[in-house]
Amino acid sequence: MNYIKWELKGFFSNHKNLIIFALLLIASLYYALYIAPAYQPIESVNKEEVEARYEDRKEFLDNVEVRNGSHPLTIFAALVYPKWNELDGERLTALANGDLYSYAQATHEWYLYADENIKTDPYDVLRYNPRYYTYGNKHAKEDGHYNYLYSAERYSQYASANYELNLNIFEERTALQTLKRLLESGLPYILLLTCLLLSNDIVMKDRKHPSIVNGFPMTPFKRMMLKGLVALIGCLTSIAILLPAFLIIGFRDGFGTLDLPAVVYNFAFLNNGTYESISMGMFLSKYVVMLLLWFVLIISLVLLISILLKNEYFNLTIGIICFIEITYYQRRKILDDWLSYLPTSYVQIGDVISGYRNYALFTDSITTEKGFMVLFSTSILIILLIWLVIKKKKMTI
Amino acid sequence: MGEKPVNKRKNKVLSLLSSILSSILRGINVFRLMKTIFLVERKNLKFRSILSVLILFIIGSFIYLENSQFRELEAATAAEVIAKNTALDLFRNTDATDPEVSTPIYRNLNVQSNQLAYRSLGLIMDDDTTYIQGAIELTKVRHEIYSMDGYNNVSQFIPTYRQNQLDHVLYTAIDDQNERLLVENSNFPTYIILLLLVLGVGWYLLVGIFSSDILLDEEDHKSLVNGYPFTMASKLSAKVFSYLVYMIGLLIITFVITVIVASIKYGIDLTYPVAIFNGDYFTIAIWEYLGLAFLYFICLSLTALTISIILNYYFKNLYIAIFVHFFLFFVPQLIPALGEWFWFLPFNYLNFSSVINGQVAEITGNQMVTLNNGFIVLVITIVIMFLFIYWQFYRSQIKQSKMVTIGGGNV
């Protein structure tokens, strides 16, 4: 027990670790104060946009006369617009009445109807929200399709929700939803690299005062495991450091509840999969489990490389495993199944859990359960290797 | 103790003279020290870890190019058509030939449609000339849109002015030099562009991380280094020299391996034009691009080394050095306004890729951030930093020798 205390003290008074904690804190506060408020979702609640579309189409529908010789596009429009406009009308009245539940219901139906028509549009004239088609986006149509059905599923959950609704929830601005959005984009990289930097020197620092370290009466393997435990506690602290930023967003835009939907995509061929919701609490707990497995994996790798090569720089090269994935996972590429057995395929934890990886890569091989299995067995393998190396080398540090 | 000031000065001058004399006399031994440090450092695992990172990177870059759509024309052209169509959707359908009812920007977008159609046609019919002519005309038409009213409404659907200019000079050069069109990306020029794009971003950081403990790792083999009777300054220069030799060695290895492997895999082509920004937009051949990158990387290495030395000298912590390197590198992204006024400061030039394609000039809004200025600024920075370091160590050396004199010991 003394040893753990001693290690913890060393860990939290280490200059490097304190700098990392300070940097994380500053970056997260900066994000909460400046970047998060500027977030503009593509699928926003935009009354003007709905109104403009509604009025335009209403005028057309009021004046159109479909005859035998009418232009095919006119016939198509006269066929598609009435229902569409009806839904837009419902959305507008719900917004005007402040009835968010019926707005959610109408919006749910609107997204389903819009996606179906855009997807099967024989003339290629209908489009998803123009903000998907920015210059250089080669996957605009896929993005639009995913986000429309994602929003449809989301709004169907809101319609039957037993919690208070507001516009921040609709636009995914509450603290929990912001966290989820970050967890699905850049945050996993930051967390994993932080873990690496924090645990980087946990073994190597002992070389500076070997006599103290060897004074503790325990086997080297046990000492390694305790070191790993301390590093794990340190990494969890780095998550706790993000808490002030979370509170700031929460008090400004609302926290949201753990019942909020997190949409999961179930893969089917040709991206015709279904969308279903799990609760935010479920999403976060799956996330935490996978993140913990990743931490264990990285820390045990650091331990293994430390005792094998005895050099801090080699530990830093572990950071590469976060980026190996980009070399083989590219959109619009047929993938081999075996790639999903590599732990590196699960770096984007959020996208793995939400199924977006499968959608973007046209594959059904990357699942959460497989991720747990792969990461868990890799960690066990590495810990076994540590045990073997220590036994073989009869090493002291 | 209790000497007169004149004597003190005399002593100082004498000790200085003798140290200079001895360093000249034993100058040959400095090389021996360099050799020792070099031999010691060569065994340093740090060097091997950097080498393994680079080798992994080279392997990764080939796998990446195989899988990605990096610079593939088919997907890019299709995306451009969709983006332009979406921009057109923002306008009411009117008669584009009638200036009375249609705005200039709407007419311009319609002309773009025609040229884009030529590009698609060229791809479908496998006809390079049609594609290239369409591309050149398209960039000319687009050139006018940037000064039109209402450009901001459609800006996200068309390339920026910089990208358009780069396209323009590239396709003009391809046309002039009768080069082939690179439709797929598995070819030599595209690989080199990808390689230098990633290396250009990463090189400064790589050298920065690698040299972050340049003065701190002495402790690993103290007796060996201190065994040589040299001043701190000459030890330092030996060290910088050995680091530099190693970095240039790594650069040469990387360049040679990639060029050889790529030319075996794709067939060598050193004259294909690459569009760059250097105050003006023009193209250079691939071999010139490689050469420029090589020289620039050497400047970047030296800059990183000197910054590391100073940080090590004052903070004595390798992680502080690493963090400061990262901070300096990201300053143009974090505070673009700084680059607008302080274009002559080195942090604008640490990212080779975004300097040479004009991205830094674009985000800082200052056209002075060019490759030429980059070379000048970096070289001046290196000279100033070395003078500063020399002055620092020279001073500490005098202090040290004075202490030795006062203590009455032998050096």
Side-chain angles (χ1 to χ4, degrees):
Chain A
M1 227 50 243
N2 270 337
Y3 183 71
I4 285 197
K5 249 185 222 163
W6 186 73
E7 277 282 342
L8 273 175
K9 210 175 147 192
F11 190 93
F12 285 102
S13 55
N14 186 328
H15 280 275
K16 173 207 55 163
N17 293 355
L18 293 179
I19 295 172
I20 292 174
F21 287 144
L23 283 180
L24 259 186
L25 185 69
I26 294 170
S28 63
L29 288 181
Y30 181 78
Y31 181 87
L33 290 173
Y34 294 100
I35 301 180
Y39 169 65
Q40 266 307 328
I42 296 182
E43 302 304 334
S44 56
V45 182
N46 191 337
K47 198 177 162 203
E48 284 74 37
E49 184 204 314
V50 180
E51 210 160 41
R53 185 174 51 225
Y54 177 75
E55 294 296 335
D56 260 11
R57 289 179 178 175
K58 191 160 177 270
E59 195 192 328
F60 167 79
L61 287 174
D62 287 348
N63 297 320
V64 74
E65 250 181 74
V66 178
R67 284 186 301 259
N68 248 347
S70 288
H71 192 276
L73 281 177
T74 318
I75 300 173
F76 179 62
L79 203 69
V80 168
Y81 282 167
K83 171 97 190 288
W84 207 330
N85 235 24
E86 194 185 311
L87 290 169
D88 264 334
E90 278 176 36
R91 287 172 79 187
L92 282 175
T93 22
L95 268 187
N97 297 338
D99 181 0
L100 293 180
Y101 289 94
S102 52
Y103 175 81
Q105 182 58 35
T107 310
H108 158 69
E109 285 166 26
W110 186 91
Y111 273 123
L112 284 180
Y113 188 79
D115 176 69
E116 196 191 325
N117 282 305
I118 298 169
K119 216 176 116 191
T120 56
D121 169 18
Y123 304 104
D124 197 25
V125 286
L126 297 175
R127 258 176 261 291
Y128 294 103
N129 192 317
R131 282 180 64 195
Y132 292 114
Y133 300 89
T134 49
Y135 178 75
N137 185 1
K138 294 169 189 162
H139 313 284
K141 209 166 176 184
E142 290 160 41
D143 290 350
H145 175 64
Y146 182 84
N147 280 323
Y148 269 39
L149 289 183
Y150 169 89
S151 301
E153 173 60 30
R154 211 155 56 85
Y155 275 103
S156 84
Q157 295 294 318
Y158 296 148
S160 58
N162 49 10
Y163 42 85
E164 193 79 1
L165 290 179
N166 57 40
L167 291 187
N168 278 338
I169 288 183
F170 284 171
E171 297 197 339
E172 304 200 284
R173 287 173 191 279
T174 60
L176 275 172
Q177 284 164 316
T178 308
L179 175 69
K180 174 170 174 281
R181 195 171 67 241
L182 281 179
L183 289 175
E184 285 172 345
S185 51
L187 197 55
Y189 289 115
I190 296 178
L191 290 175
L192 296 185
L193 290 179
T194 309
C195 166
L196 173 65
L197 283 175
L198 285 176
S199 53
N200 185 29
D201 61 347
I202 187 124
V203 178
M204 301 312 296
K205 70 184 168 58
D206 284 353
R207 302 190 89 196
K208 284 176 189 158
H209 33 70
S211 52
I212 306 180
V213 180
N214 288 329
F216 286 101
M218 60 179 65
T219 60
F221 181 69
K222 193 177 170 196
R223 193 190 297 153
M224 281 295 147
M225 288 302 105
L226 290 180
K227 272 181 186 300
L229 189 67
V230 169
L232 194 61
I233 294 172
C235 295
L236 294 180
T237 319
S238 71
I239 297 178
I241 281 188
L242 305 177
L243 207 61
F246 183 80
L247 292 178
I248 289 177
I249 300 178
F251 283 119
R252 192 182 54 220
D253 299 325
F255 284 98
T257 73
L258 287 175
D259 294 333
L260 283 172
V263 179
V264 171
Y265 172 77
N266 295 320
F267 179 82
F269 195 54
L270 289 177
N271 275 349
N272 287 325
T274 54
Y275 297 74
E276 62 177 27
S277 299
I278 57 175
S279 71
M280 184 71 85
M282 190 66 191
F283 177 85
L284 287 180
S285 40
K286 278 185 182 178
Y287 203 101
V288 167
V289 173
M290 208 178 255
L291 192 64
L292 273 178
L293 283 174
W294 260 115
F295 281 171
V296 172
L297 182 83
I298 287 180
I299 293 170
S300 48
L301 256 183
V302 168
L303 294 175
L304 180 67
I305 292 189
S306 293
I307 55 175
L308 273 184
L309 299 168
K310 301 193 168 61
N311 187 295
E312 274 181 49
Y313 278 91
F314 262 110
N315 293 348
L316 283 180
T317 55
I318 296 173
I320 294 177
I321 61 170
C322 291
F323 305 105
I324 291 178
E325 182 195 40
I326 346 178
T327 61
Y328 59 83
Y329 274 173
Q330 293 290 324
R331 291 180 81 169
R332 288 209 186 150
K333 179 82 194 171
I334 312 275
L335 295 165
D336 293 330
D337 236 16
W338 63 267
L339 288 170
S340 67
Y341 289 98
L342 299 176
T344 45
S345 303
Y346 298 91
V347 171
Q348 276 289 350
I349 308 172
D351 287 345
V352 169
I353 295 176
S354 71
Y356 180 71
R357 286 260 94 169
N358 287 344
Y359 180 85
L361 299 170
F362 297 114
T363 174
D364 60 348
S365 56
I366 309 163
T367 61
T368 320
E369 290 73 23
K370 202 193 255 177
F372 288 149
M373 287 292 291
V374 170
L375 291 176
F376 183 72
S377 42
T378 318
S379 313
I380 294 290
L381 190 74
I382 295 172
I383 292 174
L384 271 178
L385 276 177
I386 296 177
W387 182 74
L388 259 180
V389 168
I390 289 180
K391 209 179 161 201
K392 264 261 151 44
K393 280 183 148 183
K394 296 234 170 7
M395 58 154 309
T396 52
I397 295 157
Chain B
M1 302 277 186
E3 286 163 309
K4 286 176 190 166
V6 182
N7 271 351
K8 228 180 197 175
R9 207 175 302 148
K10 217 179 190 177
N11 269 348
K12 203 192 262 177
V13 171
L14 268 177
S15 70
L16 223 173
L17 267 178
S18 72
S19 75
I20 290 172
L21 259 177
S22 63
S23 69
I24 292 169
L25 279 174
R26 287 180 285 177
I28 207 96
N29 277 353
V30 176
F31 283 103
R32 211 180 285 164
L33 171 75
M34 270 183 197
K35 205 177 140 198
T36 314
I37 288 186
F38 193 72
L39 286 178
V40 170
E41 294 287 359
R42 203 186 45 152
K43 294 271 175 183
N44 193 340
L45 276 171
K46 185 169 80 174
F47 288 77
R48 293 186 193 172
S49 69
I50 278 310
L51 188 65
S52 52
V53 168
L54 273 177
I55 287 172
L56 280 177
F57 161 71
I58 292 170
I59 297 170
S61 65
F62 281 105
I63 299 176
Y64 177 84
L65 195 66
E66 199 97 309
N67 291 332
S68 82
Q69 292 186 314
F70 179 73
R71 289 175 86 96
E72 282 197 345
L73 291 183
E74 216 155 299
T77 311
E80 249 178 85
V81 171
I82 291 178
K84 183 265 310 160
N85 281 342
T86 317
L88 272 177
D89 280 355
L90 302 180
F91 297 87
R92 282 177 163 259
N93 280 329
T94 47
D95 183 1
T97 53
D98 186 357
E100 295 278 307
V101 291
S102 60
T103 56
I105 208 162
Y106 180 71
R107 265 175 286 146
N108 185 297
L109 282 170
N110 271 301
V111 182
Q112 284 190 28
S113 299
N114 298 342
Q115 305 304 342
L116 262 172
Y118 277 117
R119 285 176 62 173
S120 309
L121 181 70
L123 281 180
I124 295 167
M125 306 302 288
D126 245 340
D127 181 1
D128 286 6
T129 332
T130 311
Y131 187 95
I132 295 166
Q133 286 310 325
I136 295 175
E137 290 304 319
L138 177 67
T139 51
K140 278 184 195 159
V141 175
R142 259 188 198 148
H143 186 71
E144 295 160 12
I145 207 171
Y146 299 103
S147 52
M148 287 179 179
D149 289 339
Y151 161 67
N152 284 337
N153 298 330
V154 295
S155 64
Q156 57 174 330
F157 304 110
I158 49 179
T160 62
Y161 180 77
R162 173 183 68 83
Q163 288 166 319
N164 192 45
Q165 287 297 308
L166 289 175
D167 273 359
H168 179 72
V169 291
L170 176 67
Y171 287 114
T172 316
I174 292 177
D175 194 32
D176 288 348
Q177 300 170 15
N178 279 326
E179 286 285 355
R180 70 212 151 93
L181 189 68
L182 303 177
V183 181
E184 298 288 318
N185 63 11
S186 49
N187 46 57
F188 187 80
T190 314
Y191 176 73
I192 295 296
I193 290 171
L194 172 73
L195 175 83
L196 292 183
L197 182 77
V198 186
L199 263 191
V201 175
W203 190 257
Y204 173 80
L205 291 176
L206 191 75
V207 183
I209 293 173
F210 160 71
S211 66
S212 56
D213 66 345
I214 181 163
L215 297 187
L216 304 174
D217 63 358
E218 294 264 283
E219 291 174 9
D220 291 348
H221 36 74
K222 226 173 196 165
S223 51
L224 195 58
V225 178
N226 287 349
Y228 281 87
F230 289 117
T231 57
M232 190 63 190
S234 48
K235 271 180 203 164
L236 187 76
S237 50
K239 198 150 201 189
V240 169
F241 187 74
S242 67
Y243 266 72
L244 201 62
V245 166
Y246 193 79
M247 286 328 297
I248 294 175
L250 274 184
L251 256 187
I252 293 174
I253 290 174
T254 315
F255 275 49
V256 167
I257 289 181
T258 48
V259 168
I260 288 177
V261 175
S263 50
I264 290 171
K265 202 163 180 244
Y266 306 121
I268 194 160
D269 177 3
L270 284 172
T271 52
Y272 201 83
V274 184
I276 66 162
F277 167 79
N278 188 8
D280 193 17
Y281 299 88
F282 56 91
T283 58
I284 53 176
I286 280 283
W287 67 268
E288 290 173 301
Y289 192 54
L290 276 166
L292 272 179
F294 187 78
L295 291 179
Y296 203 87
F297 287 172
I298 291 177
C299 290
L300 282 179
S301 311
L302 270 167
T303 316
L305 274 180
T306 49
I307 294 178
S308 284
I309 291 172
I310 290 182
L311 289 171
N312 271 204
Y313 184 72
Y314 285 109
F315 296 108
K316 301 207 177 355
N317 184 320
L318 98 151
Y319 290 97
I320 290 184
I322 292 180
F323 293 141
V324 172
H325 278 302
F326 270 86
F327 177 73
L328 285 178
F329 184 79
F330 286 112
V331 165
Q333 269 82 38
L334 294 173
I335 324 165
L338 217 59
E340 196 181 346
W341 300 105
F342 300 103
W343 59 268
F344 47 83
L345 289 183
F347 56 73
N348 291 313
Y349 301 95
L350 302 181
N351 184 340
F352 170 75
S353 310
S354 58
V355 168
I356 202 168
N357 67 18
Q359 226 170 329
V360 187
E362 189 182 41
I363 54 174
T364 58
N366 191 329
Q367 298 294 307
M368 294 297 282
V369 186
T370 63
L371 198 69
N372 279 349
N373 287 345
F375 273 115
I376 297 170
V377 167
L378 288 183
V379 168
I380 292 177
T381 315
I382 294 162
V383 170
I384 292 177
M385 298 278 255
F386 268 122
L387 285 177
F388 180 73
I389 293 167
Y390 182 73
W391 174 66
Q392 276 295 322
F393 283 89
Y394 180 66
R395 217 178 49 173
S396 65
Q397 176 190 330
I398 288 176
K399 220 190 276 169
Q400 205 180 5
S401 66
K402 209 192 279 173
M403 263 161 58
V404 170
T405 326
I406 292 167
N410 213 337
V411 183

